[in-house]
Amino acid sequence: MTDEIIIIGAGQAAAQAVQSLRAEGFAGPIRLFGDEPYAPYQRPPLSKKFLAGEIGYDRVELKAEDFYAQSGVATHWSTRVTEIDRRNKRLLTGDGQEFAYGKLLLATGSRVREINVPGFDLEGVHYLRNIDDVKSIQAHFRPGAKMVVVGGGYIGLEVAAVAAKRGIEVTVLEAADRVMARVVDPIVSHFYERVHAEEGVKIETGVTVAGFEGDTKVEAVVSGEGGRYPCDVVVVGIGILPNTELAAEAGLHVENGIAVDEFCRTSDPDICAAGDCTSHPNGIYGTRLRLESVHNAIEQGKTAAATLAGKEKPYNQVPWFWSDQYDLKLQITGLSNGYTQAVVRGDPTTGRSFAVFYLKEGVLIAVDAINRAPEFMMAKMLTARKAVLDPARIADESIAVKEIAG
Protein backbone atom coordinates (compact mmCIF):
# COMPACT_ATOMS: atom_id res chain seq x y z
CA MET A 1 0.00 0.00 0.00
CA THR A 2 1.09 3.55 -0.64
CA ASP A 3 -0.09 6.91 0.63
CA GLU A 4 1.04 8.64 -2.55
CA ILE A 5 -1.41 11.08 -4.10
CA ILE A 6 -1.31 11.12 -7.89
CA ILE A 7 -2.68 14.04 -9.88
CA ILE A 8 -3.59 13.45 -13.52
CA GLY A 9 -3.59 16.72 -15.44
CA ALA A 10 -1.35 19.77 -15.22
CA GLY A 11 -3.56 22.84 -15.39
CA GLN A 12 -4.86 25.42 -12.94
CA ALA A 13 -6.73 22.92 -10.75
CA ALA A 14 -3.72 20.63 -10.50
CA ALA A 15 -1.30 23.42 -9.59
CA GLN A 16 -3.69 24.71 -6.94
CA ALA A 17 -4.17 21.21 -5.53
CA VAL A 18 -0.43 20.75 -5.07
CA GLN A 19 -0.13 24.02 -3.20
CA SER A 20 -3.23 23.32 -1.09
CA LEU A 21 -2.25 19.74 -0.25
CA ARG A 22 0.92 21.00 1.40
CA ALA A 23 -0.97 23.87 3.05
CA GLU A 24 -3.46 21.35 4.46
CA GLY A 25 -0.60 19.44 6.07
CA PHE A 26 -0.29 16.48 3.70
CA ALA A 27 3.37 15.47 3.97
CA GLY A 28 3.27 12.32 1.82
CA PRO A 29 4.50 11.88 -1.73
CA ILE A 30 2.73 13.60 -4.64
CA ARG A 31 3.10 12.70 -8.29
CA LEU A 32 1.88 14.93 -11.15
CA PHE A 33 1.25 13.91 -14.78
CA GLY A 34 0.76 16.33 -17.68
CA ASP A 35 0.33 15.74 -21.43
CA GLU A 36 2.25 18.86 -22.43
CA PRO A 37 6.00 19.52 -22.11
CA TYR A 38 5.26 22.52 -19.90
CA ALA A 39 4.66 22.91 -16.18
CA PRO A 40 1.12 24.13 -15.34
CA TYR A 41 0.35 27.53 -16.85
CA GLN A 42 -2.55 29.97 -17.15
CA ARG A 43 -4.76 29.49 -20.18
CA PRO A 44 -6.81 32.74 -20.24
CA PRO A 45 -3.86 34.91 -21.37
CA LEU A 46 -3.30 32.64 -24.37
CA SER A 47 -6.07 34.39 -26.32
CA LYS A 48 -5.17 37.80 -24.91
CA LYS A 49 -1.77 39.26 -23.96
CA PHE A 50 0.21 36.09 -24.67
CA LEU A 51 -1.23 35.85 -28.19
CA ALA A 52 -0.51 39.55 -28.68
CA GLY A 53 3.13 38.97 -27.70
CA GLU A 54 2.85 41.40 -24.79
CA ILE A 55 3.91 38.77 -22.23
CA GLY A 56 6.05 35.65 -22.40
CA TYR A 57 5.92 32.18 -20.88
CA ASP A 58 7.41 33.41 -17.62
CA ARG A 59 4.25 35.47 -17.10
CA VAL A 60 1.81 32.62 -17.72
CA GLU A 61 3.43 29.76 -15.81
CA LEU A 62 1.59 29.31 -12.53
CA LYS A 63 4.68 28.37 -10.52
CA ALA A 64 8.34 28.28 -11.36
CA GLU A 65 9.23 24.69 -12.22
CA ASP A 66 11.48 24.33 -9.18
CA PHE A 67 8.36 24.88 -7.04
CA TYR A 68 7.32 21.29 -7.66
CA ALA A 69 10.69 19.82 -6.71
CA GLN A 70 10.84 22.03 -3.63
CA SER A 71 7.33 20.84 -2.73
CA GLY A 72 8.37 17.20 -3.01
CA VAL A 73 6.37 16.56 -6.17
CA ALA A 74 7.54 14.07 -8.79
CA THR A 75 6.61 15.51 -12.19
CA HIS A 76 6.01 13.70 -15.47
CA TRP A 77 5.57 16.16 -18.35
CA SER A 78 4.68 14.95 -21.84
CA THR A 79 3.21 11.84 -20.26
CA ARG A 80 -0.32 10.60 -20.89
CA VAL A 81 -2.12 8.37 -18.41
CA THR A 82 -4.03 5.80 -20.45
CA GLU A 83 -5.72 3.60 -17.84
CA ILE A 84 -6.84 3.63 -14.22
CA ASP A 85 -7.07 0.24 -12.45
CA ARG A 86 -9.30 1.08 -9.50
CA ARG A 87 -9.35 -2.46 -8.12
CA ASN A 88 -5.57 -2.54 -7.67
CA LYS A 89 -5.20 1.24 -7.31
CA ARG A 90 -2.71 1.52 -10.12
CA LEU A 91 -2.49 3.52 -13.30
CA LEU A 92 -0.80 2.92 -16.63
CA THR A 93 0.92 5.51 -18.84
CA GLY A 94 1.29 5.63 -22.59
CA ASP A 95 4.97 4.65 -22.37
CA GLY A 96 4.11 1.46 -20.47
CA GLN A 97 4.92 2.51 -16.90
CA GLU A 98 2.73 1.59 -13.92
CA PHE A 99 2.27 3.63 -10.75
CA ALA A 100 0.44 2.79 -7.53
CA TYR A 101 -1.67 5.40 -5.78
CA GLY A 102 -3.28 5.83 -2.40
CA LYS A 103 -5.57 8.65 -3.53
CA LEU A 104 -6.11 10.07 -6.99
CA LEU A 105 -7.08 13.49 -8.33
CA LEU A 106 -8.42 13.81 -11.87
CA ALA A 107 -7.74 17.31 -13.21
CA THR A 108 -7.89 16.29 -16.86
CA GLY A 109 -9.39 19.58 -18.06
CA SER A 110 -10.96 19.97 -21.47
CA ARG A 111 -10.16 19.99 -25.17
CA VAL A 112 -11.38 22.03 -28.12
CA ARG A 113 -14.54 21.05 -29.93
CA GLU A 114 -13.36 20.29 -33.45
CA ILE A 115 -15.16 21.13 -36.68
CA ASN A 116 -15.68 18.21 -39.05
CA VAL A 117 -16.17 19.66 -42.52
CA PRO A 118 -14.29 19.19 -45.81
CA GLY A 119 -10.84 20.72 -45.60
CA PHE A 120 -10.67 20.65 -41.82
CA ASP A 121 -7.11 19.32 -41.99
CA LEU A 122 -5.69 21.96 -44.34
CA GLU A 123 -2.60 23.86 -43.25
CA GLY A 124 -3.62 27.16 -41.70
CA VAL A 125 -6.71 25.89 -39.88
CA HIS A 126 -6.03 26.34 -36.16
CA TYR A 127 -7.56 25.98 -32.73
CA LEU A 128 -6.40 27.80 -29.61
CA ARG A 129 -6.06 25.74 -26.46
CA ASN A 130 -2.37 25.57 -25.57
CA ILE A 131 0.96 27.35 -25.94
CA ASP A 132 1.92 25.52 -29.13
CA ASP A 133 -1.40 26.56 -30.71
CA VAL A 134 -0.55 30.19 -29.99
CA LYS A 135 2.86 29.85 -31.63
CA SER A 136 1.25 28.39 -34.75
CA ILE A 137 -1.28 31.23 -34.99
CA GLN A 138 1.33 33.92 -34.36
CA ALA A 139 3.28 32.69 -37.40
CA HIS A 140 0.49 34.19 -39.54
CA PHE A 141 0.58 37.61 -37.88
CA ARG A 142 1.55 40.05 -40.59
CA PRO A 143 -0.19 43.27 -41.60
CA GLY A 144 -2.63 42.79 -44.44
CA ALA A 145 -3.17 39.07 -43.82
CA LYS A 146 -6.75 37.82 -43.88
CA MET A 147 -8.08 35.84 -40.91
CA VAL A 148 -11.44 34.14 -40.54
CA VAL A 149 -12.50 33.34 -36.99
CA VAL A 150 -15.14 30.62 -36.73
CA GLY A 151 -17.18 31.23 -33.59
CA GLY A 152 -18.24 34.44 -31.87
CA GLY A 153 -17.75 33.41 -28.25
CA TYR A 154 -15.12 34.61 -25.79
CA ILE A 155 -12.16 32.93 -27.49
CA GLY A 156 -13.16 33.91 -31.02
CA LEU A 157 -13.74 37.56 -30.15
CA GLU A 158 -10.55 37.81 -28.07
CA VAL A 159 -8.52 36.40 -30.98
CA ALA A 160 -10.27 38.80 -33.36
CA ALA A 161 -9.41 41.76 -31.11
CA VAL A 162 -5.73 40.82 -30.90
CA ALA A 163 -5.47 40.16 -34.65
CA ALA A 164 -7.19 43.42 -35.58
CA LYS A 165 -4.71 45.37 -33.47
CA ARG A 166 -1.91 43.65 -35.43
CA GLY A 167 -3.25 45.00 -38.71
CA ILE A 168 -4.90 41.78 -39.83
CA GLU A 169 -8.17 41.84 -41.76
CA VAL A 170 -10.55 39.81 -39.58
CA THR A 171 -13.94 38.29 -40.31
CA VAL A 172 -15.87 36.50 -37.56
CA LEU A 173 -18.47 33.91 -38.58
CA GLU A 174 -21.05 33.05 -35.91
CA ALA A 175 -23.81 30.47 -36.41
CA ALA A 176 -26.16 32.10 -33.87
CA ASP A 177 -27.98 35.35 -34.53
CA ARG A 178 -25.60 37.31 -32.26
CA VAL A 179 -22.19 36.96 -30.64
CA MET A 180 -21.78 35.40 -27.17
CA ALA A 181 -25.45 34.35 -27.41
CA ARG A 182 -24.97 31.47 -24.95
CA VAL A 183 -23.87 33.66 -22.05
CA VAL A 184 -25.09 37.27 -22.36
CA ASP A 185 -28.20 39.33 -23.08
CA PRO A 186 -28.68 40.84 -26.58
CA ILE A 187 -27.80 44.25 -25.06
CA VAL A 188 -24.25 43.03 -24.39
CA SER A 189 -24.01 41.13 -27.69
CA HIS A 190 -24.96 44.17 -29.75
CA PHE A 191 -22.53 46.36 -27.79
CA TYR A 192 -19.63 44.04 -28.63
CA GLU A 193 -20.72 43.79 -32.25
CA ARG A 194 -20.62 47.61 -32.44
CA VAL A 195 -17.20 47.87 -30.80
CA HIS A 196 -15.66 45.22 -33.05
CA ALA A 197 -17.07 46.98 -36.12
CA GLU A 198 -15.51 50.24 -34.92
CA GLU A 199 -12.18 48.41 -34.62
CA GLY A 200 -12.42 47.13 -38.19
CA VAL A 201 -13.60 43.58 -37.53
CA LYS A 202 -16.36 42.24 -39.79
CA ILE A 203 -18.88 40.08 -37.93
CA GLU A 204 -21.40 37.95 -39.79
CA THR A 205 -24.03 36.16 -37.73
CA GLY A 206 -26.36 33.36 -38.78
CA VAL A 207 -23.53 31.84 -40.82
CA THR A 208 -22.60 28.16 -40.74
CA VAL A 209 -19.33 26.72 -42.04
CA ALA A 210 -19.68 24.11 -44.79
CA GLY A 211 -15.99 23.65 -45.52
CA PHE A 212 -12.50 25.03 -46.09
CA GLU A 213 -11.02 25.43 -49.58
CA GLY A 214 -7.40 25.15 -50.65
CA ASP A 215 -4.91 22.74 -52.22
CA THR A 216 -2.53 22.18 -49.32
CA LYS A 217 -3.24 25.27 -47.23
CA VAL A 218 -6.49 27.04 -46.47
CA GLU A 219 -7.46 29.74 -48.96
CA ALA A 220 -11.13 30.33 -48.15
CA VAL A 221 -13.99 29.40 -45.86
CA VAL A 222 -17.24 28.35 -47.55
CA SER A 223 -20.50 28.86 -45.68
CA GLY A 224 -23.63 26.74 -45.73
CA GLU A 225 -25.47 29.83 -46.94
CA GLY A 226 -23.37 30.06 -50.09
CA GLY A 227 -20.81 32.66 -49.01
CA ARG A 228 -17.08 32.42 -49.64
CA TYR A 229 -14.53 34.15 -47.40
CA PRO A 230 -10.94 34.30 -48.73
CA CYS A 231 -8.32 33.97 -45.99
CA ASP A 232 -4.74 33.13 -45.13
CA VAL A 233 -5.52 31.64 -41.73
CA VAL A 234 -8.54 30.30 -39.84
CA VAL A 235 -8.98 30.11 -36.07
CA VAL A 236 -11.83 27.87 -34.91
CA GLY A 237 -13.34 28.62 -31.51
CA ILE A 238 -16.60 26.71 -31.16
CA GLY A 239 -16.38 25.55 -27.57
CA ILE A 240 -14.66 22.90 -25.49
CA LEU A 241 -15.43 19.38 -24.31
CA PRO A 242 -14.57 17.92 -20.88
CA ASN A 243 -11.93 15.19 -20.85
CA THR A 244 -13.95 12.45 -19.17
CA GLU A 245 -12.89 9.38 -21.16
CA LEU A 246 -10.30 8.17 -18.65
CA ALA A 247 -12.84 8.43 -15.82
CA ALA A 248 -15.61 6.75 -17.81
CA GLU A 249 -13.37 3.86 -18.83
CA ALA A 250 -12.50 3.40 -15.15
CA GLY A 251 -16.21 3.08 -14.35
CA LEU A 252 -16.64 6.43 -12.60
CA HIS A 253 -19.98 8.22 -12.85
CA VAL A 254 -19.94 10.75 -15.70
CA GLU A 255 -22.78 13.25 -16.09
CA ASN A 256 -21.88 16.21 -18.32
CA GLY A 257 -18.43 15.93 -16.78
CA ILE A 258 -16.97 13.70 -14.09
CA ALA A 259 -19.69 13.80 -11.44
CA VAL A 260 -18.45 14.98 -8.04
CA ASP A 261 -20.11 15.98 -4.78
CA GLU A 262 -19.60 19.26 -2.92
CA PHE A 263 -16.28 17.88 -1.60
CA CYS A 264 -15.04 17.02 -5.13
CA ARG A 265 -15.35 13.29 -4.48
CA THR A 266 -16.22 11.09 -7.43
CA SER A 267 -18.25 7.86 -7.21
CA ASP A 268 -15.01 6.28 -5.93
CA PRO A 269 -14.17 7.64 -2.43
CA ASP A 270 -10.43 7.38 -3.17
CA ILE A 271 -10.69 9.51 -6.29
CA CYS A 272 -11.43 13.23 -6.50
CA ALA A 273 -11.82 15.44 -9.56
CA ALA A 274 -11.53 19.19 -10.12
CA GLY A 275 -11.74 21.81 -12.84
CA ASP A 276 -13.25 21.92 -16.33
CA CYS A 277 -13.69 18.15 -16.45
CA THR A 278 -16.21 18.02 -13.58
CA SER A 279 -19.87 18.62 -12.90
CA HIS A 280 -20.79 19.54 -9.35
CA PRO A 281 -23.88 20.37 -7.28
CA ASN A 282 -24.36 24.09 -6.68
CA GLY A 283 -26.63 25.02 -3.80
CA ILE A 284 -26.98 28.65 -4.88
CA TYR A 285 -28.55 27.72 -8.21
CA GLY A 286 -30.03 24.39 -7.10
CA THR A 287 -28.62 22.37 -9.99
CA ARG A 288 -25.51 20.57 -11.20
CA LEU A 289 -23.02 22.74 -13.05
CA ARG A 290 -20.04 22.19 -15.29
CA LEU A 291 -18.01 25.38 -15.34
CA GLU A 292 -15.18 26.41 -17.64
CA SER A 293 -13.41 29.03 -15.55
CA VAL A 294 -10.25 29.77 -13.62
CA HIS A 295 -12.27 30.52 -10.49
CA ASN A 296 -13.89 27.09 -10.57
CA ALA A 297 -10.56 25.32 -11.16
CA ILE A 298 -8.87 27.13 -8.28
CA GLU A 299 -11.68 26.64 -5.77
CA GLN A 300 -12.24 23.00 -6.69
CA GLY A 301 -8.49 22.44 -6.48
CA LYS A 302 -8.60 23.74 -2.91
CA THR A 303 -11.63 21.64 -2.00
CA ALA A 304 -10.23 18.47 -3.57
CA ALA A 305 -6.92 18.94 -1.75
CA ALA A 306 -8.72 19.30 1.58
CA THR A 307 -10.71 16.13 0.89
CA LEU A 308 -7.60 14.18 -0.10
CA ALA A 309 -5.89 15.42 3.08
CA GLY A 310 -8.76 14.06 5.19
CA LYS A 311 -10.63 17.31 5.72
CA GLU A 312 -13.97 18.55 4.41
CA LYS A 313 -14.32 22.04 2.94
CA PRO A 314 -17.38 22.13 0.68
CA TYR A 315 -17.38 24.09 -2.55
CA ASN A 316 -20.53 26.16 -3.07
CA GLN A 317 -19.85 29.53 -4.65
CA VAL A 318 -21.20 31.97 -7.19
CA PRO A 319 -19.23 31.40 -10.41
CA TRP A 320 -17.51 34.26 -12.18
CA PHE A 321 -15.75 34.76 -15.50
CA TRP A 322 -14.02 37.49 -17.51
CA SER A 323 -13.04 38.45 -21.03
CA ASP A 324 -10.58 41.12 -22.24
CA GLN A 325 -11.19 42.65 -25.67
CA TYR A 326 -9.49 45.91 -26.68
CA ASP A 327 -9.85 48.29 -23.71
CA LEU A 328 -12.91 46.43 -22.46
CA LYS A 329 -12.93 44.18 -19.42
CA LEU A 330 -16.10 42.11 -19.25
CA GLN A 331 -16.60 40.63 -15.78
CA ILE A 332 -19.48 38.24 -15.25
CA THR A 333 -20.73 37.04 -11.91
CA GLY A 334 -23.37 34.34 -11.67
CA LEU A 335 -25.33 32.55 -14.38
CA SER A 336 -28.07 34.39 -16.24
CA ASN A 337 -29.90 31.32 -17.53
CA GLY A 338 -33.63 31.69 -16.97
CA TYR A 339 -33.62 35.41 -16.17
CA THR A 340 -36.94 37.23 -16.48
CA GLN A 341 -35.65 40.82 -16.59
CA ALA A 342 -32.42 42.52 -17.68
CA VAL A 343 -31.78 45.94 -16.15
CA VAL A 344 -29.09 48.22 -17.61
CA ARG A 345 -26.98 50.53 -15.46
CA GLY A 346 -25.13 52.98 -17.72
CA ASP A 347 -25.37 53.60 -21.47
CA PRO A 348 -24.28 50.77 -23.79
CA THR A 349 -25.18 52.67 -26.97
CA THR A 350 -22.53 55.39 -26.83
CA GLY A 351 -20.07 54.73 -24.00
CA ARG A 352 -17.79 51.78 -23.17
CA SER A 353 -18.81 51.30 -19.54
CA PHE A 354 -22.08 49.80 -18.25
CA ALA A 355 -23.53 46.81 -16.44
CA VAL A 356 -26.50 44.52 -17.01
CA PHE A 357 -28.24 43.07 -13.94
CA TYR A 358 -30.18 39.86 -14.52
CA LEU A 359 -33.21 39.29 -12.29
CA LYS A 360 -35.36 36.19 -11.97
CA GLU A 361 -38.68 37.14 -10.37
CA GLY A 362 -36.90 40.06 -8.74
CA VAL A 363 -33.95 38.00 -7.40
CA LEU A 364 -30.48 38.89 -8.68
CA ILE A 365 -28.91 35.87 -10.39
CA ALA A 366 -26.11 37.40 -12.49
CA VAL A 367 -24.42 40.60 -13.65
CA ASP A 368 -22.38 41.44 -16.75
CA ALA A 369 -20.10 44.38 -15.95
CA ILE A 370 -18.16 46.09 -18.76
CA ASN A 371 -15.44 48.33 -17.32
CA ARG A 372 -17.53 48.47 -14.11
CA ALA A 373 -15.44 46.89 -11.36
CA PRO A 374 -17.60 48.29 -8.48
CA GLU A 375 -20.77 46.73 -9.94
CA PHE A 376 -18.96 43.43 -10.41
CA MET A 377 -17.68 43.33 -6.84
CA MET A 378 -21.06 44.28 -5.38
CA ALA A 379 -22.83 41.75 -7.60
CA LYS A 380 -20.72 38.86 -6.29
CA MET A 381 -22.00 39.56 -2.79
CA LEU A 382 -25.62 40.29 -3.77
CA THR A 383 -25.90 37.21 -5.99
CA ALA A 384 -24.65 34.95 -3.20
CA ARG A 385 -27.29 36.50 -0.93
CA LYS A 386 -30.01 35.97 -3.55
CA ALA A 387 -30.86 39.63 -3.06
CA VAL A 388 -34.22 40.97 -4.20
CA LEU A 389 -33.56 44.26 -6.01
CA ASP A 390 -35.67 47.14 -7.25
CA PRO A 391 -35.00 47.61 -11.00
CA ALA A 392 -35.46 51.38 -10.68
CA ARG A 393 -32.67 51.61 -8.08
CA ILE A 394 -30.35 49.52 -10.25
CA ALA A 395 -30.83 51.79 -13.27
CA ASP A 396 -30.52 55.06 -11.32
CA GLU A 397 -26.84 55.98 -11.40
CA SER A 398 -27.41 58.80 -8.92
CA ILE A 399 -27.67 55.98 -6.37
CA ALA A 400 -24.24 54.60 -5.43
CA VAL A 401 -23.79 50.99 -6.43
CA LYS A 402 -23.25 49.97 -2.81
CA GLU A 403 -26.70 51.40 -2.01
CA ILE A 404 -28.73 49.74 -4.77
CA ALA A 405 -29.94 47.00 -2.44
CA GLY A 406 -31.66 49.69 -0.35
Side-chain angles (χ1 to χ4, degrees):
M1 293 291 290
T2 178
D3 64 345
E4 182 167 79
I5 291 177
I6 292 183
I7 301 172
I8 303 175
Q12 190 96 43
Q16 182 62 56
V18 168
Q19 182 177 342
S20 295
L21 277 167
R22 294 310 189 206
E24 294 289 356
F26 178 75
I30 301 173
R31 192 174 297 272
L32 176 62
F33 290 88
D35 292 352
E36 295 184 60
Y38 309 101
Y41 59 87
Q42 304 174 66
R43 293 192 187 274
L46 298 188
S47 56
K48 306 176 182 72
K49 290 187 176 183
F50 190 79
L51 178 64
E54 296 175 13
I55 60 173
Y57 175 70
D58 61 320
R59 294 277 300 280
V60 297
E61 62 179 346
L62 289 162
K63 298 287 184 182
E65 190 158 351
D66 60 3
F67 162 80
Y68 300 97
Q70 292 174 3
S71 300
V73 179
T75 57
H76 300 262
W77 310 140
S78 301
T79 304
R80 179 177 291 274
V81 175
T82 57
E83 183 181 343
I84 299 170
D85 177 0
R86 290 169 52 203
R87 180 185 296 274
N88 297 303
K89 301 186 75 171
R90 301 182 68 82
L91 56 81
L92 180 68
T93 64
D95 56 5
Q97 297 185 77
E98 288 190 2
F99 296 88
Y101 67 85
K103 302 281 187 181
L104 188 62
L105 172 60
L106 301 180
T108 49
S110 54
R111 63 188 183 278
V112 296
R113 185 187 297 275
E114 297 184 358
I115 189 168
N116 186 16
V117 296
F120 73 93
D121 56 349
L122 286 171
E123 179 186 341
V125 177
H126 299 283
Y127 297 85
L128 200 164
R129 187 62 183 162
N130 58 44
I131 285 176
D132 291 337
D133 293 336
V134 173
K135 294 177 180 178
S136 296
I137 294 169
Q138 286 174 328
H140 298 275
F141 278 10
R142 61 183 184 278
K146 289 183 170 62
M147 172 186 287
V148 171
V149 175
V150 179
Y154 294 147
I155 294 296
L157 294 182
E158 288 170 359
V159 169
V162 170
K165 286 298 187 184
R166 295 293 298 267
I168 296 171
E169 185 180 319
V170 184
T171 300
V172 176
L173 304 180
E174 169 55 48
D177 62 356
R178 57 188 176 88
V179 299
M180 299 191 290
R182 189 170 63 92
V183 292
V184 301
D185 183 84
I187 295 168
V188 179
S189 294
H190 298 328
F191 168 78
Y192 274 90
E193 289 167 1
R194 172 175 68 81
V195 169
H196 277 278
E198 292 171 353
E199 298 287 347
V201 174
K202 184 179 181 181
I203 294 179
E204 296 210 11
T205 57
V207 176
T208 58
V209 172
F212 304 112
E213 289 184 347
D215 292 328
T216 57
K217 64 180 294 295
V218 68
E219 297 174 4
V221 179
V222 179
S223 76
E225 293 70 32
R228 186 177 184 275
Y229 303 87
C231 61
D232 303 298
V233 58
V234 172
V235 178
V236 180
I238 54 174
I240 62 175
L241 299 170
N243 292 324
T244 60
E245 291 76 10
L246 191 62
E249 290 166 4
L252 297 175
H253 181 208
V254 172
E255 181 184 348
N256 185 31
I258 304 169
V260 299
D261 63 14
E262 65 270 35
F263 303 105
C264 289
R265 286 185 297 238
T266 69
S267 51
D268 184 325
D270 289 327
I271 302 178
C272 287
D276 287 6
C277 63
T278 70
S279 67
H280 68 277
N282 184 283
I284 295 171
Y285 291 95
T287 188
R288 294 194 69 85
L289 300 176
R290 183 175 67 81
L291 299 174
E292 303 160 4
S293 74
V294 169
H295 170 246
N296 179 66
I298 290 173
E299 295 304 322
Q300 283 199 321
K302 293 176 181 178
T303 291
T307 300
L308 292 168
K311 304 175 183 180
E312 291 194 339
K313 296 182 178 180
Y315 170 51
N316 184 41
Q317 298 185 21
V318 175
W320 59 269
F321 318 84
W322 83 92
S323 175
D324 293 330
Q325 299 169 42
Y326 310 112
D327 61 336
L328 307 173
K329 178 172 284 294
L330 167 62
Q331 294 172 294
I332 297 176
T333 183
L335 301 171
S336 61
N337 301 344
Y339 72 94
T340 56
Q341 185 177 10
V343 183
V344 181
R345 183 177 173 88
D347 184 0
T349 61
T350 57
R352 292 167 85 101
S353 173
F354 68 100
V356 179
F357 287 65
Y358 297 92
L359 306 179
K360 185 174 184 179
E361 308 302 335
V363 177
L364 183 67
I365 60 172
V367 170
D368 297 338
I370 295 89
N371 291 346
R372 289 284 182 117
E375 278 82 351
F376 172 67
M377 296 304 296
M378 181 59 62
K380 291 172 71 174
M381 180 181 67
L382 294 176
T383 305
R385 276 173 35 191
K386 298 184 179 181
V388 177
L389 300 183
D390 177 357
R393 292 184 66 84
I394 295 172
D396 187 352
E397 290 199 272
S398 69
I399 298 174
V401 66
K402 63 182 180 181
E403 304 295 336
I404 60 174

